[in-house]
Amino acid sequence: MKKILIVEDHIDIRKLLKMTLEFDDFEIHEAATGDAGWLLACELQPDIVLLDVMMPGTLNGLDVCRRIKSDPGMRHTKVIMLTARVQSSDKEAGFAAGVDDYLMKPFSTLQVLETIYRMEASQ
């Protein structure tokens, strides 16, 4: 069973993602801040992280992504950025931080699922 960590400060978006993913064979975990997301990622070593960029706390999504990608224990972890930051410079910053894919808000749940399935197939 694949472990998915949702790191998103908006509870409604977390709920929507969780409800979407519950219909498949995923173990789902949630965090509301970058700091909590990083701690959970270290503990769980998830297969996929759905990560917002702008969140409260000391770590934003780019910081969390950089930490995940630099951790030898999480080399297998795929990071999908889900963000309202839509400028090309924001997207470039995401890929420079190591994200595997970048979905802009508002996104459809179908987009998220297709991206997850594509990531699973490439592992």
Side-chain angles (χ1 to χ4, degrees):
M1 179 181 296
K2 297 277 185 188
K3 283 187 259 183
I4 296 182
L5 173 60
I6 302 166
V7 186
E8 166 66 59
D9 60 324
H10 290 101
I11 191 165
D12 293 337
I13 295 174
R14 281 199 322 270
K15 281 183 183 178
L16 174 66
L17 290 167
K18 184 176 182 180
M19 285 180 359
T20 300
L21 298 170
E22 282 177 335
F23 290 103
D24 213 323
D25 193 27
F26 297 121
E27 180 184 321
I28 304 161
H29 301 270
E30 302 174 58
T33 67
D35 303 88
W38 169 241
L39 292 174
L40 262 179
C42 291
E43 178 185 328
L44 300 169
Q45 302 210 346
D47 299 291
I48 296 174
V49 178
L50 302 176
L51 184 60
D52 188 13
V53 173
M54 300 178 293
M55 289 178 288
T58 59
L59 298 175
N60 66 31
L62 296 174
D63 298 327
V64 174
C65 182
R66 282 187 207 96
R67 288 181 178 205
I68 288 170
K69 293 299 183 173
S70 66
D71 187 304
M74 287 187 267
R75 291 205 191 276
H76 73 286
T77 301
K78 301 290 185 186
V79 177
I80 302 169
M81 196 65 74
L82 304 173
T83 181
R85 304 289 301 255
V86 297
Q87 300 295 320
S88 60
S89 59
D90 296 319
K91 198 170 184 177
E92 289 168 13
F95 284 112
V99 301
D100 296 284
D101 211 334
Y102 195 99
L103 299 179
M104 292 178 245
K105 293 177 183 176
F107 52 82
S108 75
T109 53
L110 183 59
Q111 271 181 301
V112 174
L113 283 173
E114 286 173 348
T115 303
I116 288 171
Y117 296 146
R118 191 173 59 251
M119 301 256 166
E120 283 187 304
S122 70
Q123 286 185 337

